[in-house]
Amino acid sequence: MRLRALLENDALGLRLLGGDDELDRAVRGVMTTDLRDPSRYLSGGELVLTGLAWRHAPADSEPFVRILARAGVAGLAAGEAELGAVPEDLAAACARHRLPLFAVNEAVAFATITEYVVRQVSGERADDLAAVVDRHRRMMTAGPAGGGPEVVLGLLGSDLDLRAWLLSPTGRRIAGPGDTPEAAAPSTAVRTALATEHQAAERAGRRAPHRVTVAGTTYSLFPVGPADRTPAAAGDVRSPARGDDALSDWLLAVEADAADWPAARLDLLQGVTQLIAVERDRRDAARTVRRRLAQEVLELVRTGAAPAEVAARLRVAAPVLLPGAETAPHWQVVVARVDRGQEGTAEDAADSGGSGPLARALLEEILVDPSAVGAEPGERIAVAHTGGEAIALVPLSALPPTGDTPATEESLHADALLAAVREPLTAGLDGDGRLTIGVSAAVSSAEGLRGALEEARHARRVAAARPGRVCAAGHHELASHVLLLPFVPDDVRRAFTARLLDPLREYDRRHRAELIPTLEAFLDSDGSWTRCATRLHLHVNTLRYRVGRIEQLTGRDLSRLEDKLDFFLALRMS
């Protein structure tokens, strides 16, 4: 298509500010950016859309326009929402570099222009492919007629005989062409292998699409990043060494060898990846509320706010994370960190701020239920990041009404978290990166969150001491003797005490069973049933019942020396 076609479509609401004699330039694609230097994502012929967030002073316009002109872009369209009008310094710079400049009315979404350009560019290359892209666009729109990525992939199969699946960076299936047997997704092992190959190729900076063969079948892998990074230009299959981007990007796995494709088909798949990128951005935006809730709760916990204030914020978060829940849940805290080089080095400290968003994205992916096809990462969790650390607040099912049993069945376990994601994440971190994760025990109240946070952080430090690119450790690995070491924070000691004694205190509060006094007397009597029963003026059978209840609520065995010692320490530190 030509630039002048943009002015002929009144629905786009574009005004030409300069470059009348350059309107016959061909448009090969579209890119939205607010980077000061977007050159690495440009290949020439694009219509560049910008909201002007990169402009802080009039002097910023000249270098930005010069970069676009050198990259050979077709034109620049600047939004008026940010500054109210396109600055004169930008218009002057475009005139000097003979770059056509358009103003985008604030009532017009960039997505509208993007969809129009993608539709027109694809249409001019192959009429049959244009029809498919247009149908994709209509199906991806919101509303009753919208079908999301599943319909897009279904159309690829029905119109072009291409079987394709949308996968997460760890190989989890996000969308497929349908549920019919012939469209069944590859096995978990195959998807994990595809994600691993994709991560390795992106880390090495190889050109996309990546051609790989798994279990005797050839696949072509296309990266799907945010909409402002996913290439849309015709034939733009470059894949610069994007570093950590691939660790959070989706991938489109097509069961075909792209090496045999004509240019028109490659162009179409690039257009499809951009359409899917819009859906990716929508899902990412949907997590904003959960992220904000996590940030607010964890900021209160970190600054030592009153438990009542933290509890009030948790009551706000619970309905969002567990819709329909009738009782307040238990919570676990999971901490993740992505480090470069050896932990604690000067380089690591300098990079920590940039690693936080990546650690958050990885934690959201790791914590999603891998069996829930299409589930949006983090749909039942809230993840925040501070510095180079990501922190997840994970709701668990509440205790039964009687309070007789602890909610351990659904608790997260460190070993299980990484079982399905270790291979692809290891490939993506190859070189000098490490991902370490720590998991706290479940807590039942706002008072326990601060201790749970410190416990998860300490568990992550335990994981960091192990070899390997991807490691995790849980609260159960914080042995009793570790808690005696002076460098362990007080909050970890409190978390250990709360984990053992809170179930007993809660049971005593509800049933007046005096389990805590019974435990103290039992330990003071060196585990002697007769002496303890005499001291408490109880029948031995009553004492056995109480001790059995203590063991049931805590999962410990008071006939074991280790568990007796843990209880002894917890009582002394409470």
Side-chain angles (χ1 to χ4, degrees):
M1 65 173 291
R2 304 294 173 179
L3 277 177
R4 66 177 65 257
L6 298 171
L7 296 175
E8 296 169 356
N9 188 333
D10 295 337
L12 299 181
L14 295 178
R15 291 184 293 108
L16 182 65
L17 301 182
D20 308 56
D21 54 347
E22 301 290 338
L23 292 180
D24 286 329
R25 291 187 181 188
V27 179
R28 299 176 56 237
V30 62
M31 176 189 179
T32 301
T33 185
D34 275 310
L35 296 174
R36 298 171 71 92
D37 180 5
S39 57
R40 67 183 298 188
Y41 306 116
L42 297 171
S43 61
E46 297 91 350
L47 172 68
V48 175
L49 305 175
T50 180
L52 299 177
W54 50 266
R55 182 187 178 276
H56 301 291
D60 295 337
S61 294
E62 173 63 26
F64 181 78
V65 173
R66 182 169 59 249
I67 289 170
L68 299 187
R70 288 178 178 175
V73 305
L76 174 64
E80 295 180 319
E82 182 76 15
L83 301 178
V86 176
E88 293 183 3
D89 49 272
L90 180 60
C94 288
R96 283 192 295 273
H97 291 278
R98 300 181 62 82
L99 182 66
L101 175 64
F102 300 87
V104 182
N105 188 283
E106 62 180 355
V108 178
F110 282 179
T112 301
I113 301 173
T114 298
E115 291 174 358
Y116 174 78
V117 173
V118 170
R119 198 163 63 244
Q120 294 300 314
V121 169
S122 299
E124 293 174 2
R125 289 172 187 143
D127 290 342
D128 59 330
L129 299 183
V132 175
V133 171
D134 185 61
R135 289 171 65 189
H136 288 175
R137 181 194 62 77
R138 288 186 283 108
M139 291 298 184
M140 288 286 284
T141 58
E150 294 82 1
V151 175
V152 175
L153 301 182
L155 290 174
L156 281 180
S158 62
D159 289 42
L160 298 179
D161 197 27
L162 289 177
R163 285 159 41 94
W165 296 269
L166 186 60
L167 306 180
S168 77
T170 63
R172 179 178 56 86
R173 180 186 172 189
I174 297 173
D179 297 325
T180 56
E182 62 271 20
S187 67
T188 300
V190 170
R191 297 198 310 271
T192 299
L194 290 175
T196 302
E197 293 286 348
H198 172 75
Q199 295 287 357
E202 290 288 288
R203 173 62 63 181
R206 297 203 293 271
R207 291 168 59 91
H210 309 305
R211 178 185 178 277
V212 300
T213 300
V214 178
T217 302
T218 300
Y219 297 87
S220 296
L221 309 179
F222 295 79
V224 181
D228 63 353
R229 267 204 292 107
T230 298
D236 187 0
V237 295
R238 294 178 301 128
S239 177
R242 297 185 296 131
D244 293 334
D245 291 343
L247 283 166
S248 57
D249 284 356
W250 291 353
L251 63 139
L252 181 63
V254 183
E255 192 179 286
D257 189 349
D260 300 331
W261 289 358
R265 181 157 291 195
L266 277 176
D267 294 341
L268 172 68
L269 263 294
Q270 295 295 347
V272 169
T273 60
Q274 189 180 41
L275 288 174
I276 296 176
V278 174
E279 171 70 4
R280 182 188 189 279
D281 287 354
R282 184 196 67 79
R283 295 193 182 190
D284 190 67
R287 294 196 292 269
T288 302
V289 173
R290 293 189 292 270
R291 289 172 173 174
R292 186 172 66 248
L293 285 172
Q295 200 76 48
E296 292 173 355
V297 171
L298 293 169
E299 184 63 21
L300 290 174
V301 171
R302 188 185 65 81
T303 56
E309 188 176 359
V310 179
R313 184 57 56 183
L314 282 176
R315 286 194 293 272
V316 173
V320 176
L321 303 180
L322 283 177
E326 297 181 356
T327 56
H330 283 52
W331 303 89
Q332 270 184 285
V333 176
V334 184
V335 171
R337 184 183 179 93
V338 175
D339 289 308
R340 297 299 175 191
Q342 295 297 318
E343 184 177 10
T345 65
E347 284 183 296
D348 175 52
D351 183 57
S352 63
S355 298
L358 173 61
R360 180 183 64 189
L362 293 181
L363 197 50
E364 287 174 335
E365 170 63 23
I366 289 169
L367 292 176
V368 74
D369 182 358
S371 64
V373 175
E376 297 183 15
E379 64 176 4
R380 293 182 67 242
I381 61 170
V383 184
H385 77 85
T386 173
E389 183 179 68
I391 304 169
L393 188 63
V394 184
L396 305 174
S397 296
L399 288 172
T402 60
D404 288 349
T405 56
T408 57
E409 291 79 11
E410 295 187 16
S411 298
L412 298 173
H413 297 280
D415 295 338
L417 284 179
L418 299 180
V421 302
R422 193 183 301 273
E423 289 184 28
L425 292 185
T426 298
L429 291 163
D430 189 27
D432 64 348
R434 295 196 71 209
L435 170 67
T436 51
I437 294 175
V439 182
S440 79
V443 296
S444 59
S445 63
E447 291 89 340
L449 275 182
R450 183 171 176 83
L453 174 59
E454 293 303 326
E455 187 176 53
R457 283 173 167 164
H458 190 65
R460 192 205 63 79
R461 289 193 289 269
V462 172
R466 297 171 175 169
R469 297 284 175 199
V470 182
C471 299
H475 59 89
H476 59 281
E477 298 180 65
L478 303 180
S480 301
H481 67 276
V482 173
L483 297 173
L484 299 177
L485 299 178
F487 67 84
V488 178
D490 290 339
D491 286 327
V492 177
R493 295 190 178 98
R494 285 194 291 270
F496 172 77
T497 302
R499 185 168 69 250
L500 283 178
L501 301 185
D502 277 0
L504 307 183
R505 289 170 178 151
E506 179 64 14
Y507 191 90
D508 280 350
R509 185 184 67 80
R510 293 185 180 184
H511 303 281
R512 299 181 180 179
E514 298 187 342
L515 295 186
I516 293 291
T518 300
L519 176 62
E520 291 176 329
F522 187 76
L523 295 176
D524 288 343
S525 302
D526 297 325
S528 169
W529 297 102
T530 303
R531 278 190 288 146
C532 183
T534 301
R535 177 174 174 175
L536 295 175
H537 307 288
L538 296 174
H539 192 279
V540 172
N541 288 343
T542 302
L543 175 62
R544 291 185 184 277
Y545 174 83
R546 288 188 183 180
V547 170
R549 180 65 70 189
I550 291 171
E551 293 174 336
Q552 182 184 22
L553 289 171
T554 61
R556 300 301 184 105
D557 183 355
L558 279 168
S559 67
R560 298 178 67 249
L561 176 61
E562 295 89 341
D563 289 343
K564 288 180 182 177
L565 179 58
D566 283 351
F567 279 120
F568 176 81
L569 292 172
L571 289 168
R572 291 299 181 272
M573 291 188 293
S574 62

